[in-house]
Amino acid sequence: QVHLVESGGGLVQAGGSLRLSCAASGTVASINTMGYYRQLPGKERELVARINNGGSTNYADSVKGRFTISRDNAKNTVYLQMNSLKPEDTAVYYCSATSVVFAFYWGQGTQVTVSS
């Protein structure tokens, strides 16, 4: 089992920045990919960014050039640096981890609110 604990959400004005962190514990050696999804009320959860053990990254088109995902394997922690935030980035952000046997884990979620 993998347990994910998120931190770093909050309220920011448009154009501002926030950094989300997600620390993994448990059977961390089994983790391949970590990332972030976000969910707006009444909508499905969507991928924001992810990074695998080799450092390869994927981003949603809507955040490319503004968000950067990184990973500290020694600390079993993934970071999402969010710059130039827009009101449409407002959502609950969920950390995720996928194991090498394709088990999927979620963090508890953290609210990000961007005011205009």
Side-chain angles (χ1 to χ4, degrees), residues 38-46:
R38 65 187 181 188
Q39 187 168 23
L40 280 70
K43 294 197 173 183
E44 291 189 357
R45 209 167 286 189
E46 62 177 13

Side-chain angles (χ1 to χ4, degrees), residues 38 46-48 59-67 86 89:
R38 65 187 181 188
E46 62 177 13
L47 175 69
V48 177
Y59 294 93
D61 287 344
S62 59
V63 307
K64 283 181 181 176
R66 300 188 297 123
F67 291 11
K86 305 175 181 180
D89 294 318

Side-chain angles (χ1 to χ4, degrees), residues 36-84:
Y36 278 92
Y37 288 69
R38 65 187 181 188
Q39 187 168 23
L40 280 70
K43 294 197 173 183
E44 291 189 357
R45 209 167 286 189
E46 62 177 13
L47 175 69
V48 177
R50 61 189 173 196
I51 183 168
N52 67 15
N53 277 345
S56 295
T57 58
N58 295 101
Y59 294 93
D61 287 344
S62 59
V63 307
K64 283 181 181 176
R66 300 188 297 123
F67 291 11
T68 302
I69 192 166
S70 61
R71 185 169 173 177
D72 186 334
N73 289 326
K75 295 182 178 179
N76 301 311
T77 300
V78 65
Y79 305 96
L80 184 67
Q81 178 67 42
M82 304 185 293
N83 298 328
S84 303

